[in-house]
Every structure is written in C-alpha cells, then in structure tokens.
Amino acid sequence: MNGQIKEAATNLQIALDHGIAEDEWERILSALGREPTPTELGIFSAMWNEHCSYKSSRVHLKKFPTSGPRVLQGPGENAGVVDIGDGLAVAFKMESHNHPSFIEPYQGAATGVGGILRDIFTMGARPVALMDSLRFGAPDHERTRYLVGGVVAGIAGYGNCIGVPTVGGETGFHPCYNGNILVNVMCAGLMKSDAIFRGTASGAGNPVIYVGAPTGRDGIHGASMASAGFDETASEKRPTVQVGDPFREKLLLEACLELMKKDAVIGIQDMGAAGLTSSAVEMAGRAGTGLILRLDDVPSREEGMTPYEFMLSESQERMLLVAGRGREGEVREIFERWDLPMAVVGEVTDDGRLRVESGGKSFVNLAVDILTDEAPMYKRPMKAERALPATDPLETLPSAEDLGPALLALLGHPGGGDKSPIWEQYDYMVRTNTLTSPGGDAALIRVKNTAKALAMTTDGNARYCMLDPHRGGMLAVAEAARNLSASGALPLAMTNCLNFGNPERPAVMAQFSGAIEGMTEACNALKVPVVSGNVSFYNETHGVDIYPTPIVGMVGLIEDAAKRTGTGFTREGDVIAILYPADEAPLPSAGAHEYVWVLAGREGGAPPSISLHSEAAVQTVCREAIGSGLLSSAHDLSDGGLGIALAESCLASPGSGLGGEVKIPDGEGRPDGHLFGEAASRILVSLAPESSEKLRDLAENNDVGYQEIGRTAEGHLRVESPDGRPYFELPMKDLLAAWKGALGGLL
Amino acid sequence: MQFAVIVFPGSNCDHDCYHAVAHVLGQPAKFVWHKERDLGGAEVIIVPGGFSYGDYLRAGAISRFSPVMKSVADHAAAGRPVIGICNGFQILTEAGLLPGALHRNTSLRFICKDVYVRCMTSRTPFTTEILPGETLRLPIAHGEGNYFCDAETFAEMEENDQIVFRYCDAEGTPSPEANPNGSLGHIAGICNTGGNVLGLMPHPERASEAALGGDDGLRLFQSTLSVTVS
Amino acid sequence: MAKAHVYITYKNGVLDPQGEAVKDALSSLGFQGVGDVRVGKYIEIEVEKSAPDEIRGEVEKMCQELLANPVIEDFRVEIPNGNNNPQPPKSEA
Amino acid sequence: MAKAHVYITYKNGVLDPQGEAVKDALSSLGFQGVGDVRVGKYIEIEVEKSAPDEIRGEVEKMCQELLANPVIEDFRVEIPNGNNNPQPPKSEA
Ligand SMILES: Nc1ncnc2c1ncn2[C@@H]1O[C@H](COP(=O)(O)OP(=O)(O)O)[C@@H](O)[C@H]1O
Ligand SMILES: [Mg+2]
C-alpha cells in the first residue's frame, strides 16, 4: 500500500540510532508487516520514547489516586482540572525541562515556561500563575553560577513578557546535580468549570488546523543525524536549540482563548515534545479516529524541509486544533487579527490511521493505536540499594554550646538563605491578584469576582528520597499539603515532576517505585488526588544518577481570602507555639539533616518518620485556627527544623524587625538535635495571648499537641534550653545580614 | 470620567489598568485596540505596561507606529490627560510625546519590587491630589527603566517643572541607593511641558487596593477626577 | 536580494551598562588589559533594491525611523561589496 | 590601546524572534521588499595588545568564553586596520 514512497529504506542500525531497541524494532516490523519509512521510523522513535510513551513508568503511575469529588479532569490530558466552586475551575500541571536547560540555560528554561503555559491554555484556562522548582549543583561548582543566572533570566524573560506572574517556587543546591540540573515549572490557570477543552480529534471530515509559529528545524534531536543519509542536503541541517518567542506566545494565548469562546473548536492540543507527531497522534488516539496531514500546507520558516523534519520539529509556540466543519473562516479571522499564521493542514478520518502526505506522495500510513495503546510498556527490574550510610551522622558532630553560629551558617547557605535575588527578577505581581510576594510557604492568588484565593506550592526533598524513597515520597506530599494548610488553604489536588536517574538501572527503578508508593499513601490519607504530572528519567552524568527527586506541585483553596496567614510574625508580645502530633514529643531530637549537611557535608540515617493520620489532624487544626482568625502567623517546620522556621518567621515580620524569646520544651537528646531536627507534621504559629486558650482547646479536640515555646520580641531572637541556659541570642540585624547574603556569589 | 486603555500586541498590564479604574475607582473605562483611531470620547488615556511587540529591538520602538498613536498624540496636543505606565512610558518617549529615552537597568536585570517615589509637582492631572514632597510606595517591574536624556534637556525639564517622581528612600530622600535602575537624576516619572502627559516606570495600577499590599497608586487615578474637563 | 549591515552603538556620553558588565566579566575571567567595551546592535537586512546607493538610502531611512533611537544611539550602514567610503556614524539629532 | 570589533549572530536555522518582529514592523511602516532581518550584537573592545594576530587570538578567546553562546550563536572578529582576510564565522561546535 506504500508503493509510492520514495524515501530510502530503514534498517535495524538506523532504528538503533533513533534510540529504538532491537526488540522494539522487531515489534515494528511485525506490526507493519514491512519496514517503516524513514518518517515513520522517526515517528516511532518519538512516540515510543520514554517522554511520550511513559514505557518504564506507566505500570507504577497507575497507583496514584486520580479521582475525587472535585476532579473534573485527571491525568491523560494536557493538564488536570479541579473544581473550585462558583462555576470556576483551576487547571494545572508541572513539567520538567532539565536537559535543555543544562545545555542552554536561558532558552532551555524559557521554552520550559512556554511549554507549560500552552498546556494550560490548551485546556481553555487563562494562565494566572507560574511556579518554578529548581535544583542546581554545588554552589561552588564551576558551572553553577552560569546555570543559575541563565535559568532565572530565562524564566523571567518568558514569564514576564507574556504577563503571567511567577509567584513562587523553590531553589536547592546539591552536588548530585552538578552535571544535570532540574528545572521544573508549574502553571495554573482559571477557567469556567463547564468549558473544558480537550485534545481530541473527533468527527470524520472535520478540518485539522495548524496555528502559531511557522515550523523550523528546531530541536530535531540526535535522531536527525541518523536521518541525514535519507537526503543529501540534510548534512548541513544540524539540529538546533529551540529559541522561545514569548511575544508570539502571548498572541497565541489571546487568540486561542478568544476562539474558545465560540463553539468552533472540537479539540485542541499544543505541540510540545515531538511536535506535530505527538499532537496529531495523541488527538487521534484519544478520539479513536485517524488523521490525514498534508505537509505542503504546514507553515514553515525554512527552505526544503523534509516530511521527517516537519513531523519531528520542536519549534515552539504552535498548536494543532480540530474545528467543526465549515468553521475554518472563523478560526482564520481570529488568528489573522492576532497576526498569527493559520492553515488547514488535514482532516479527521474514521479509519484509525495516521497518514502524512507531501507533494502528492504518502510518507506515513500507520495505525494510530500502534503508536499509543500498543506502545511498549516495561516492568523494569528493581533492586533497592543504599548509597548513603544508615547511621545518623549527627552523632559524628561535636555538640556546641553556642548554637548561634550554626544558625547563621544555615541561614547564610545558598539553599537556606534569602531567595529574593531570584524572585525579584520575576514579575510576580502582574494581573493584580498576587496576595503575598514569594518567600512564604505558599503562594496566594486571589480569584477576582469571588472571595476566594488559590494557594500553590512546590516541594520535594531529594535527600529524604535518597535515604528512603518510600518515606521520602510521603514526606514530599505531606510537606506540600502542610505548606498550603499553613497559609489557611485546603489542599485540593496535586501535580508532580518525577525526576529520576536511568530507569535501566534497577536501583533507580526501585527508587521510582518506592517514591510513588509513598506519595500514593500520602495522597490517599490527605485526600489529595493526582491530576497531572510528568516523568523525567535519565537524569545522570557519566553513569551517575541524580538523587531521586520527585517534586510535588499542589494547589489549595481558601474560601475567604481575608482568612489567611503569612509566615512572618506580625505583633510584638504574641505567643509562639508549635502544633504537633499529640502522641509524639513536641520536638524529638532526630534527623537534623540540613544542619549536618551544611556544617559537616555529611548525609545519612533515615528521614523523619511520619504518621499520616496525625499529619492530617495537625493540618486540619491549623486551617481551622486560621479560619477562625486565631493565628497571626503559621509556618511549617522543614529543612533546618525549628531553628530555621523561627528565624524565617522573624525575617518575614514587618521590616524583619520582630524576633522572639523562646525556650525549647523538655525532651531527650542533644540540644542541636532539638533545634535543627526535621520532625514532620509540625507547624510553628504565633497568636495573640488572648487566643491561646481557644487554640489549645481546638488542638485537644482534634488530638493535636499544642506547646507554647515563647513570645515574639522586638529586635532579637533568643533561644534557651529547657532549663533556661541560652543557646544563643542574636540581634535581628545579624540574622538579616547572614540570610540576605546567602545567594550573593551566585547572582 | 471616561478612561481608555490602549491595547498593543503584547500589552499585559491592560487588564490591570482597566480593573483599577473601572472596578476600584468605579469610572467608565474601555479598551482601545492599537489598530483603531477612534478614542471614543475618552477623557483620560492610559498607555499600559507590558511587553508590546515583545520589547523587541527596543521597548516601545515598534508600538509607536501603531495607528492609535496618532490619536493619542492629538489627545495630548489638545492638552488632555495621557498617562504612560512602564512600557507605556517607553512608548511615549519613543513617540516623542515625552523627552529622553529608557534603556537597560544598570544591573542588567529585570527588577520587580516595591519602591518609594517622591512626588515633585502637583501640576499634572495625575498628581493634583498629591502634594509635592509626599512619598508614595509603588511597585516597579521592568528591565529597561533607566531614564536618560542629554544635559540640556535635563536642565530644561528641571526648569519647566517636568520631573514628576523621583526614586527615594522611605523618608522621601532621593539617593543612589534608592534608585533601582540607575536613571538620571533618580527620575521615576516625567511630564511634557504642558504637564498633561505623564510617563512613569512604577505601576500605580498595581498599588490600587489595600488587599494587594497598598493603595498609594490609586491616588494618581483619583487625581484625574478633580480635573475639570473642558 | 541584497544585504545591508547596520551597526547601532550608544552615543558618546551615554552610559553603557552592558559594556561595563562585559568589561568586568572579562577581567574576572583573567583577560588582562581590557579597556573600554561597548555593546551595540548588529542588524543584517535583506532588501530588494540592488544599487548600493539606493540600498544605503533605504536602510538609513529605516535606521532613522525605527532601528535606532537618536536620543541615545548612533548608527552606521554598510553595504557588503558596495561602496563603503568611510562614513561618520549618523544620528538624527 | 587597539580596537577589535566583534559581530555575534544567531546560527543559521535558529529562530530570531527579534529579527522577525523588526521585519514585520519595517513592512508595516511601508518599506517594500524587505527580506530576512537578523538582529545580533556588535561589540567594540579595546585591548592592550598591538599585533593584529595577538589581538585576534585574544578576542576570539573572549568570544568563546564569554561573549558568544556557542550553542546558538556564531561570532566573527575584525581588527580595524588589521589583516582582515575574510574569515568564516566561527563557533565551537
Ligand atoms: N526559584 C524560585 N522562584 C520563585 N520563588 C522562589 C524560588 N526559590 C525560592 N522561592 C521563594 O522563597 C521561598 C523559600 O525558598 P526555599 O528555601 O528554596 O523553599 P522552601 O521553603 O519551600 O524549602 C519559597 O517558598 C518561595 O516562595
Ligand atoms: Mg516551605
């Protein structure tokens, strides 16, 4: 049936060069009953690779809970959608752009932002907020400075231009990322809950329409080198790094949202990884239909592009949509007004096949389901391995009398210090909805025309996952939910980026599986379904994998935006207290991980233990207390334990002027273990003394511990032992100076 | 008072300005697409911030050729109020409605944060209700806010009372430390000789509601209400 | 299509923050004896005209109207393989 | 002090959004027959060296290390009044 195809032949070697394994090649041959054409081979390589097929991860991802009363759209679409009441919904998703950002930090990060924005407005939502979760190598590694500067400028360059505020994120440093940084970007958008658009190509005869930037040879990856043999002129067409055009994307965003107000659109999907190939195949796959694409009609910006190149180009700022028959004119009219290319490039068919034609010839004729449902799926071997010592390295550290220097060291470390040199490069206020500047536990965005606010956070602790993937996974979800609860928000649902090493290594798959199981347990216990997500494997350099780094992005809802708290102390003389699980000590001396890392460069032991039941109770109490107006501030304990949480609450007070006087509650273990230990399920709160009775009652009624530890005070932070011996007393200006200077050398 | 917010391809503070005047101030407002020429009888023109044409080549360089700019120029020439905010300020200088130019911040970085500005004159329609010497807290968000003009122009502007806002510290004292972008004379905003056209880098529309952390910016829009429209 | 090259530089007396930053960065990378550094724009334009003088006229007009801002920038147009008798940088002011 | 001129342009095939926007603007300003427009950087550097070859060597090193981004950009160095036998643009790749 493909008699007229004139491309060169393909063979096993070319398939291997495309990253297709030998058994996968056999599978293709037996499915087709012939050799694939070069363009078909390119399509297989794109659709069957890890990024599109999730072939190593699918069996594990199935474990996540994905439904709930508010879930309008779970995983499988461009983004998840969750109902927030009042006829509104929030669409959100997180994506990684790790490898491109390491090669070209500015453009890699910028196009990462562009990609996730398209995922959101494809759903019919207007993007309202971006968050970025970043991991760099050691602060003193030779490339770190360059990468930090480039990535941050790239996120700023794209997000600021398009006018979506970047409202929060996280930034971490660890030598395991020296050769493979992580750039994960999350976007949330608002939409009407009854106007969700999906990536489906239904209705035979409906036109397939290409809108957005013309196609060039951008990002046709290593595979294209193998294709050079197919065409003599291909040799000088080297693959190129994608450059983002945020201005064009802004136009695309406005044009798409305007078009979606009409009922002309049947399905729409952005062209992300594997561009035209994946958008066409996935849209047909979801609808159970077929597609014909006529490449001669695809707008292009370079001469002489081959079908192979058209199908695999990753040029940015493009979308594919299916419109109702006869509605082409309306689509054209809108895109012309926004000065954007628009072209009818094919139509929907009912034979379940993807056909690609050019110059009157057929270059592709494949059953869609071979590319989607029948893509390979692997149960890769797993074998847990422990790479870090099992003993808690705290014991190897001499215990100091004066804990002040340790606190200053933690605050002055790039991972623990002030991140404003990063987020002040982001326009975090555009759209006038941002209720708190970045720097707190959760970012808060008001929802205009309602009393509501959305809360958002990203969290992940690779060290915990390295020490114990299962517990690390639980802790990541619990911390994200806790960050939302500490701002007064009810966690609704989550997305994730699962950044792992090479899945062909059993130790990596064991980490992956363990982390997912832990996350799943926490999702179930905290009633937070997973509605979207992304897997990034092969994060490795020279055969060494990064620490397993699942990043959780979570969205919560505050019904009345006036009832919220920040992390900073607000008033002198307020009571400082801790909410904690009632059946545990307020501050067990355990796992002072960040402290030992910063002071001694050692890691080991176990991540903090966690009871999900108690975690849920602590969060409920915190939210209710905020809802009843009892709290002045709330801040969860995480890296650096109570010591860092206290310091951060002081630093986030007005003018960083409020400190506190605190006595550590009685308990077993070392003083530094109490102060810097990273016990889970704890929230540091401050409140007016008149409110303490009520909070104590609320906590008791919910089986939650409430322990007062001191008072806020002007100008200094003093912490003493249970018997009144001072651990340190530091003027706020010293804390501020250490904290402010932390990123100094890097930006 | 009828407001018009001009929308260029890439403008992204258009809705914020609209929100501030229509929903917070409660005045009639409408958007005017850059290809239109009819300002529809608007009394006050807002050229909003954002990245018109992506800030490509130079911020504001391409927008100034939009058809609507002729109408804006006529409006200005008639002595009626025009305010250019951030990218709007850049567009007004490129269009020659205000003197000077805005180039890259000395830090070479985009900067988003709250700053203080000192009001230098009440003579513009946007500062009638603000006393000279008063300090406002307003957000900035720009990469090219570094104001420049030649010495002669600067002297003329001082002479003609055209410097409307200067970056200052919380106490109201202009200083290099309080100047976020290296602008000449700590200039944050200027007006034309007639006083009716104001350009400024800070975003008053983002500081128009206490819920967002401050409402000093609203006073610029409020001021226009006391201007008698002829 | 013929090509024209446009060079846009800051005027004397206008501070060039990017140039300063590059200079500092070069020194800290260990390059010695780096003097002034000025960063400008270099634009390549294809035009349909073919006579060098016509091209120059057209492109200079483009510079005056759009490509350069006369308040802070000078420009210079070169026609590769054309008549490029040294010309002083131009500006409208 | 001697001067060197550096021209930095996007590699062939790399999208130049700025160039596209300028091209569209020129057309809508009424300039006819404008083809490709590419916007790059033009850098003037003063160095202490004086032998043209030495200057070129030094400045090319600066380009490789700092001034150009070899992943997406090519660069070209010219020494005014030096030996400028036409040289192809360079990149590290
Ligand atoms: N890359 C970033 N982008 C935006 N905001 C950031 C970024 N990094 C840090 N922040 C802000 O600073 C706060 C503290 O940063 P960090 O210490 O890395 O996170 P966390 O407290 O979640 O461990 C974050 O909650 C966030 O609001
Ligand atoms: Mg936190």
Side-chain angles (χ1 to χ4, degrees), chain A residues 348-392:
Chain A
V348 179
T349 61
D350 56 8
D351 63 358
R353 300 190 76 82
L354 175 71
R355 294 171 213 263
V356 176
E357 298 173 356
S358 175
K361 289 189 219 159
S362 159
F363 285 82
V364 175
N365 187 339
L366 293 173
V368 169
D369 51 13
I370 301 182
L371 297 168
T372 55
D373 302 350
E374 289 165 34
M377 179 150 90
Y378 297 129
K379 277 191 176 156
R380 295 202 186 268
M382 298 193 277
K383 184 163 176 296
E385 260 173 45
R386 182 172 251 293
L388 295 173
T391 49
D392 184 345

Side-chain angles (χ1 to χ4, degrees), chain A residues 441 459 479 483 635-636 638:
Chain A
D441 278 340
D459 286 283
E479 176 171 354
N483 277 326
H635 185 22
D636 79 302
S638 62

Side-chain angles (χ1 to χ4, degrees), chain A residues 21 29 53 92 140 143 178 258 266 300 319 408 455 477 515 519 529 611 615-616 622 696 715 728:
Chain A
L29 293 183
S53 71
F92 66 99
D140 58 1
R143 264 179 85 79
N178 280 353
E258 188 177 326
I266 299 212
S300 72
M319 312 277 268
L408 294 177
V477 173
M519 292 168 80
S611 143
E615 176 74 50
C622 186
R696 186 184 300 280
F728 62 82

Side-chain angles (χ1 to χ4, degrees), chain A residues 103-104 238 240-241 243-245 248 301-302, chain D residues 10 12-15 17 20 69 71-72 93:
Chain A
I103 295 169
E104 210 310 276
R238 284 181 297 154
T240 54
V241 167
V243 168
D245 184 350
R248 180 104 64 167
R301 71 161 210 275
E302 291 187 66
Chain D
Y10 275 129
N12 269 339
V14 173
L15 175 72
E20 306 264 321
N69 178 349
V71 182
I72 48 177

Side-chain angles (χ1 to χ4, degrees), chain B residues 105-147:
Chain B
N105 298 347
T106 43
S107 66
L108 299 179
R109 297 216 188 116
F110 190 96
I111 305 172
C112 179
K113 65 176 185 184
D114 284 353
V115 299
Y116 292 98
V117 295
R118 181 186 176 96
C119 178
M120 310 303 295
T121 175
S122 301
R123 67 188 282 253
T124 82
F126 303 94
T127 52
T128 51
E129 303 291 307
I130 306 169
L131 294 175
E134 265 196 273
T135 302
L136 309 183
R137 186 182 162 98
L138 299 175
I140 55 165
H142 61 249
E144 301 180 32
N146 184 351
Y147 183 82

Side-chain angles (χ1 to χ4, degrees), chain A residues 131-134 152 155 166-172 415-417 419-420 422-423 426 437-443 457-459 479 483 635-636 638-639 648:
Chain A
M131 311 263 293
D132 60 327
S133 175
L134 311 177
V152 171
I155 291 170
T166 303
V167 295
E170 23 155 28
T171 313
K419 304 296 191 304
S420 65
I422 294 175
W423 53 256
Y426 302 152
S437 60
D441 278 340
T457 181
T458 64
D459 286 283
E479 176 171 354
N483 277 326
H635 185 22
D636 79 302
S638 62
D639 295 8
E648 286 176 346

Side-chain angles (χ1 to χ4, degrees), chain A residues 348-667:
Chain A
V348 179
T349 61
D350 56 8
D351 63 358
R353 300 190 76 82
L354 175 71
R355 294 171 213 263
V356 176
E357 298 173 356
S358 175
K361 289 189 219 159
S362 159
F363 285 82
V364 175
N365 187 339
L366 293 173
V368 169
D369 51 13
I370 301 182
L371 297 168
T372 55
D373 302 350
E374 289 165 34
M377 179 150 90
Y378 297 129
K379 277 191 176 156
R380 295 202 186 268
M382 298 193 277
K383 184 163 176 296
E385 260 173 45
R386 182 172 251 293
L388 295 173
T391 49
D392 184 345
L394 177 61
E395 304 308 326
T396 67
L397 214 66
S399 184
E401 287 285 304
D402 179 1
L403 296 177
L407 181 73
L408 294 177
L410 280 164
L411 286 176
H413 186 261
D418 176 29
K419 304 296 191 304
S420 65
I422 294 175
W423 53 256
E424 280 184 359
Q425 294 188 51
Y426 302 152
D427 188 342
Y428 57 86
M429 305 183 281
V430 62
R431 306 195 61 75
T432 57
N433 294 320
T434 309
L435 295 174
T436 54
S437 60
D441 278 340
L444 300 178
I445 293 288
R446 72 173 173 185
V447 181
K448 283 197 182 110
N449 303 318
T450 72
K452 297 174 203 283
L454 290 177
M456 276 165 272
T457 181
T458 64
D459 286 283
N461 186 318
R463 183 181 298 130
Y464 292 172
C465 291
M466 189 65 177
L467 294 171
D468 180 343
H470 183 102
R471 202 185 278 175
M474 286 203 300
L475 287 164
V477 173
E479 176 171 354
R482 202 183 312 131
N483 277 326
L484 298 183
S485 295
S487 70
L490 176 70
L492 296 183
M494 61 170 264
T495 179
N496 61 64
C497 262
L498 306 176
N499 307 279
F500 285 77
N502 186 335
E504 293 156 40
R505 275 193 274 277
V508 169
M509 277 321 285
Q511 293 169 339
F512 187 73
S513 162
I516 285 183
E517 279 168 9
M519 292 168 80
T520 298
E521 267 179 55
C523 288
N524 285 326
L526 301 173
K527 301 195 174 59
V528 185
V530 176
V531 296
S532 57
N534 166 255
V535 176
S536 170
F537 277 131
Y538 298 101
N539 290 289
E540 58 178 339
T541 3
H542 305 311
V544 181
D545 299 299
I546 60 161
Y547 281 15
T549 316
I551 301 290
V552 172
M554 202 178 281
V555 172
L557 180 66
I558 305 183
E559 287 291 345
D560 178 358
K563 291 180 179 152
R564 63 176 200 262
T565 59
T567 57
F569 294 146
T570 61
R571 203 168 32 213
E572 193 177 1
D574 266 5
V575 169
I576 303 174
I578 309 174
L579 298 172
Y580 64 98
D583 54 355
E584 297 175 18
L587 282 180
S589 163
H593 296 279
E594 187 69 11
Y595 166 70
V596 182
W597 172 249
V598 170
L599 266 70
R602 279 197 282 276
E603 296 173 293
S609 62
I610 177 169
S611 143
L612 291 168
H613 175 77
S614 309
E615 176 74 50
V618 167
Q619 292 189 27
T620 303
V621 166
C622 186
R623 282 196 307 269
E624 285 186 11
I626 294 168
S628 337
L630 295 179
L631 299 187
S632 309
S633 74
H635 185 22
D636 79 302
L637 268 53
S638 62
D639 295 8
L642 176 68
I644 287 299
L646 265 175
E648 286 176 346
S649 287
C650 297
L651 289 162
S653 68
S656 299
L658 276 178
E661 293 175 354
V662 165
K663 186 179 270 188
I664 299 291
D666 237 344

